[in-house]
Amino acid sequence: MNSGSCSSLMEVGYDHHHHGHEELHVLAVDDNLIDRKLVEKLLKISSCKVTTAENAIRALEYLGLGDHNQHMALTNNNLKVNLIITDYCMPGMTGFELLKKVKESSNLKEVPVVIMSSEYIPTRISKCLASGAQMFMQKPLKLSDVEKLKCHLMNSRS
Amino acid sequence: MNTVVAQLQRQFQDYLVSLYQQGFLDNQFTELRKLQDEGTPDFVAEVVSLFFDDCSKLINSMSRSLERPENVDFKQVDSGVHQLKGSSSSVGARRVKNVCISFKECCDVQNREGCLRCLQQVDYEYKMLKTKLQDLFNLEQQIVQAGGAIPQVNIN
């Protein structure tokens, strides 16, 4: 929960009224190292701050939703995540399961979650969108995809 | 005009175009090159290097899984092919990716012989691409050392 004591213009958080001049902090989740490098570069070029995770469990831990810190509130503003972009197919917990956990969380349900996949399976896409995914992106990702993503996010905030 | 630089740039351009024409690379490699800037001049080389390391590791582990005919771990092989297909697709390694498509099909029907053939092919293709790209990066280096800029190459 945002304590509200430091409300400088540079604060990036769950404030729905802030406009897109502050850096977006994106959590990118993918088990494939090359894809992680690629998505990280794409996001950095688009002026985002990026944190990467190699699986959904690590991502949940980072978000404060891991098994051991369910009672921990994320008070460090630098860790606040504005967007989660995750691969669908991952060993262990899938991106879809990660999406559901985020949407079930009272702290994080407002954070947009984007699902990526190398496979184009319409039922998979609609399942993700129906469970609250902001957007689906087809891999491999290109620069224009990230630009589309940012536009989509900006529009959905206003 | 520095003709050495111009010659090297021409050589680079022709070589890169030939790699696309021969099907080694696809549009995703172009996308990868777009991400390289003055701040990160080695981005493409670093990513492809990681890719080739990945290829080597995955091929080794899939080879082990396919070794004994009476005990093939097709699940592991499938997982390896999935990783390889993803990575090759992300860097624009077209031939490697195409072998992975056939490889997955062999895996799906648990065709060990087919898998072994695909494994051999994927090994050949990634090594071939590695050599080609090394030559390309060498040309790039020569251009930079001669004081020139790397050409933007448009592939249609």
Side-chain angles (χ1 to χ4, degrees):
Chain A
M1 292 286 271
N2 189 340
S3 66
S5 56
C6 31
S7 50
S8 76
L9 284 172
M10 290 312 293
E11 186 172 299
V12 183
Y14 306 135
D15 179 1
H16 297 284
H17 304 297
H18 96 259
H19 302 291
H21 297 299
E22 299 89 346
E23 244 190 356
L24 277 179
H25 180 196
V26 185
L27 175 64
V29 192
D30 200 317
D31 62 308
N32 186 308
L33 174 62
I34 280 92
D35 286 343
R36 275 202 306 280
K37 285 267 165 218
L38 182 59
V39 78
E40 180 184 42
K41 190 71 160 97
L42 285 168
L43 291 168
K44 282 187 171 166
I45 282 181
S46 312
S47 312
C48 298
K49 174 177 158 169
V50 187
T51 300
T52 59
E54 60 187 35
N55 60 53
I57 304 291
R58 297 263 170 98
L60 288 174
E61 283 170 1
Y62 185 80
L63 294 166
L65 294 179
D67 279 343
H68 304 294
N69 47 18
Q70 265 155 9
H71 304 293
M72 221 172 80
L74 263 168
T75 53
N76 182 348
N77 290 325
N78 287 332
L79 292 179
K80 285 230 175 95
V81 166
N82 307 115
L83 167 68
I84 298 164
I85 178 164
T86 178
D87 192 24
Y88 182 94
C89 272
M90 294 188 291
M93 189 183 291
T94 66
F96 178 64
E97 288 158 349
L98 173 61
L99 163 69
K100 286 195 289 184
K101 289 247 190 260
V102 170
K103 293 301 161 186
E104 283 161 15
S105 151
S106 49
N107 277 348
L108 293 167
K109 62 183 177 200
E110 296 302 318
V111 179
V113 181
V114 172
I115 308 279
M116 310 179 270
S117 180
S118 52
E119 293 160 302
Y120 182 77
I121 299 171
T123 50
R124 173 183 290 182
I125 298 170
S126 30
K127 178 176 78 166
C128 290
L129 294 174
S131 290
Q134 185 84 5
M135 204 173 153
F136 172 85
M137 291 174 75
Q138 183 80 42
K139 283 173 149 184
L141 293 187
K142 311 172 175 13
L143 205 48
S144 55
D145 291 328
V146 178
E147 281 154 19
K148 250 182 264 166
L149 172 65
K150 284 191 102 181
C151 280
H152 183 106
L153 283 179
M154 292 314 170
N155 290 339
S156 69
R157 294 186 111 124
S158 54
Chain B
M1 184 167 188
N2 188 335
T3 55
V4 169
V5 168
Q7 240 177 352
L8 287 169
Q9 286 172 329
R10 191 55 206 255
Q11 236 184 308
F12 172 84
Q13 189 148 340
D14 289 347
Y15 193 62
L16 184 54
V17 169
S18 77
L19 292 180
Y20 284 96
Q21 285 174 342
Q22 290 166 55
F24 287 103
L25 300 172
D26 64 28
N27 183 61
Q28 185 63 16
F29 189 77
T30 314
E31 292 295 327
L32 208 66
R33 291 191 78 224
K34 284 183 190 170
L35 305 183
Q36 191 157 285
D37 53 30
E38 299 93 51
T40 55
D42 301 314
F43 175 71
V44 177
E46 280 169 9
V47 173
V48 301
S49 174
L50 284 173
F51 168 64
F52 294 134
D53 287 346
D54 213 31
C55 286
S56 172
K57 260 194 319 235
L58 288 168
I59 288 167
N60 283 338
S61 62
M62 288 191 286
S63 177
R64 281 194 302 274
S65 296
L66 286 164
E67 206 167 346
R68 290 177 6 218
E70 74 282 4
N71 190 18
V72 178
D73 185 354
F74 281 107
K75 233 182 128 194
Q76 196 281 333
V77 179
D78 184 72
S79 161
V81 177
H82 179 87
Q83 289 292 313
L84 206 47
K85 181 163 176 272
S87 310
S88 56
S89 167
S90 292
V91 303
R94 186 177 162 277
R95 287 196 190 182
V96 177
K97 182 189 75 175
N98 286 341
V99 177
C100 289
I101 294 171
S102 312
F103 202 158
K104 181 161 195 343
E105 286 167 9
C106 291
C107 208
D108 287 346
V109 299
Q110 307 210 335
N111 174 358
R112 180 177 173 266
E113 288 304 315
C115 283
L116 286 170
R117 277 195 300 273
C118 288
L119 187 69
Q120 201 171 39
Q121 226 186 323
V122 95
D123 187 67
Y124 173 82
E125 289 297 346
Y126 103 81
K127 285 172 175 165
M128 170 78 94
L129 180 62
K130 188 172 177 180
T131 311
K132 299 279 181 186
L133 289 182
Q134 195 50 62
D135 290 343
L136 187 74
F137 296 143
N138 285 342
L139 274 171
E140 258 190 0
Q141 220 177 6
Q142 286 177 60
I143 294 170
V144 169
Q145 280 169 353
I150 312 297
Q152 286 302 321
V153 179
N154 286 317
I155 312 293
N156 288 312

